Amino acid sequence: MTGSEVSPSFRLVYVPGVMPDKWVRIWNERLPGVPLTLTQAQPGEAVERLRDRDADAGLVRMPVDRTVFSAIPLYTEQTVVVVPKDHLVTAVDEVSPEDLADDIVLHPLDDVLGWDTLPGRPALERPATTADAVELVAAGIGVLVVPLSLARLHHRRDLTHRPLTDAPASSVALAWREDAHTDQVEDFIGIVRGRTVNSTRGRKRPEPAGRDKERRTGRDRAGNRRAAATGKGSGRRGGTGGATGNPRRGKPRRRS
């Protein structure tokens, strides 16, 4: 197969916790001839893939360098604290940072919340990953504060979580290089934003073969029906006093 025969593809990178399945399904329905390649990467790696042009677009965590990337914020996640099921905070519906004052709060190296001051007591060492921190929580070493999607991603039957108030939150965005805003990127933007196939802001898709002819035939038939209903275009001209003729014709002249 020559290079000109290779089908184009769209490369999408996404970070853990993001669920792109719905958007990927819509892409495959709308653009079956353009394969979408999915790659999961840690937040820092995902941004580097975009920077190095190893991906066309990414579902990443904010912030990103806006001098290099364009980004559309999609949603902001709820922040939760992950604790063992027998922890005291499970007795309440939500937790404040003050409620964690006596707890060791684990701070993994891949943290995405960007704390200024972490609540609770610091651990002796920072876990390498969020997954490692979850294992430490299960071992009773401490608690962990993460976005809700990461708590669900690393769910364990012996752990639970509660919303944490007055805490940093993580926002997810669709990002791409400013100098690489391609038609395919615009297509994916339309899908993420919920645009329809025929949206005026999206690229217009070519009509399937025969569709344009069908539309013209339908318009012609509709025009013929309207002409028959009004008597226009039937080849007949006004009659003698009929509704479609000259109203003055057919009347007898008054004799003097």
Side-chain angles (χ1 to χ4, degrees), residues 87-93 162:
H87 196 283
L88 290 176
V89 302
T90 59
V92 297
D93 293 330
R162 291 292 185 273

Side-chain angles (χ1 to χ4, degrees), residues 17 181 250:
H181 190 145

Side-chain angles (χ1 to χ4, degrees), residues 17 77-78 80 82 146-156 161:
E77 292 198 62
Q78 184 180 57
V80 301
V82 179
V146 290
L148 177 59
S149 68
L150 293 182
R152 289 173 172 169
L153 179 66
H154 298 288
H155 172 72
R156 290 176 52 118
H161 55 78

